[in-house]
Amino acid sequence: MQTPERILAILADAGARTVADIGCGSGALSRVLAAHGHTVTGIDPDADAVSRARESVPDARFEQATAEALPFTDASLDAAVFLNALHHVPVPLMRQALAEVRRVLRPGGTLIVVEPLAEGSFFEVMRPVEDETAIRREALVALRADMAEGHWSRIDEQQYDRFTDFASVDDFIDYLVAVDPARRAIAGALRKELDALLKERATPAENGFRLTQPMLLVAVSPER
């Protein structure tokens, strides 16, 4: 089961209709959520990403905003999702971002956090471009601390592998740059190293190479 299907299953169990896609990027998850009948608002601090999302997902609403200052009124949403996004919040603001989600969720609402772990072949090939070991750890530390302090009750927790296939190293670089355009220069400069790592770490796939990224999904509900 892929990540969107896992998220949809949890939202269905919760009976969630209104959903915030926090750190929505170009709207890939928002598109899936909207197609399954959810009323979706995606937020992202990057204006270009918001513009692309508005063009590609007309069935959702998108706003330029940050996770630590969500553009929603109190208790106005059924659910919120951080998909590969909490570790992009500045470390000093991660707990504030989680507090903002508690503010905007209705009683009994659901927060889903999906984070890539700092391990696996995908991470190993990506690391020369951007080593996210520390920041990925900080995101989970912030979430665990918030839970330990009694702000959230656990609904579900899953660890699983995400498999992604690439035809070539250039395909892999394009994937990284789509997430963060700032990676373009360093990824291009490291192309030969990345090509060697891809061939060393990946497993064969029908159309090229397959990389594995271990993921952690945590679903929680706010304690009032």
Side-chain angles (χ1 to χ4, degrees):
M1 184 184 296
Q2 296 299 309
T3 299
E5 286 76 18
R6 294 172 188 271
I7 293 172
L8 287 167
I10 292 170
L11 294 177
D13 287 345
R17 302 299 298 171
T18 54
V19 183
D21 180 6
I22 304 173
C24 64
S26 298
L29 176 62
S30 294
R31 180 185 299 107
V32 174
L33 296 176
H36 284 78
H38 295 286
T39 300
V40 184
T41 301
I43 72 108
D44 200 282
D46 185 85
D48 289 339
V50 170
S51 179
R52 292 193 299 270
R54 286 172 176 162
E55 291 179 3
S56 63
V57 193
D59 294 332
R61 182 168 68 92
F62 296 94
E63 300 290 342
Q64 184 180 1
T66 60
E68 65 273 13
L70 295 173
F72 307 108
T73 58
D74 295 356
S76 59
L77 297 173
D78 296 328
V81 182
F82 284 98
L83 174 56
N84 296 342
L86 185 57
H87 70 275
H88 289 295
V89 177
V91 173
L93 300 176
M94 287 179 177
R95 296 287 297 276
Q96 183 177 333
L98 293 170
E100 271 289 88
V101 175
R102 292 198 304 275
R103 177 184 67 81
V104 303
L105 286 181
R106 297 188 177 107
T110 302
L111 166 64
I112 302 172
V113 177
V114 184
E115 280 290 312
L117 301 177
E119 56 189 72
S121 58
F122 185 100
F123 175 74
E124 292 166 356
V125 180
M126 169 189 159
R127 184 156 47 180
V129 177
E130 185 173 0
D131 187 349
E132 292 186 338
T133 302
I135 198 66
R136 293 184 184 187
R137 180 177 63 248
E138 291 290 350
L140 295 179
V141 166
L143 178 59
R144 298 297 192 197
D146 233 45
M147 294 171 68
E149 290 181 11
H151 298 304
W152 304 93
S153 59
R154 183 185 284 104
I155 299 172
D156 193 8
E157 185 164 327
Q158 308 172 20
Q159 185 171 332
Y160 60 96
D161 289 335
R162 183 194 74 198
F163 302 105
T164 312
D165 293 351
F166 300 96
S168 66
V169 67
D170 294 315
D171 192 21
F172 176 74
I173 290 173
D174 288 343
Y175 185 99
L176 296 183
V177 172
V179 175
D180 183 355
R183 294 170 172 169
R184 172 69 71 183
I186 188 169
L190 293 173
R191 185 184 180 283
K192 288 184 178 180
E193 179 181 346
L194 296 176
D195 188 40
L197 277 172
L198 182 65
K199 291 171 180 174
E200 176 186 351
R201 302 292 186 183
T203 57
E206 183 177 354
N207 295 314
F209 307 92
R210 174 164 295 173
L211 294 176
T212 303
Q213 175 58 65
M215 307 290 292
L216 181 67
L217 181 155
V218 181
V220 292
S221 184
E223 293 284 353
R224 302 298 186 185

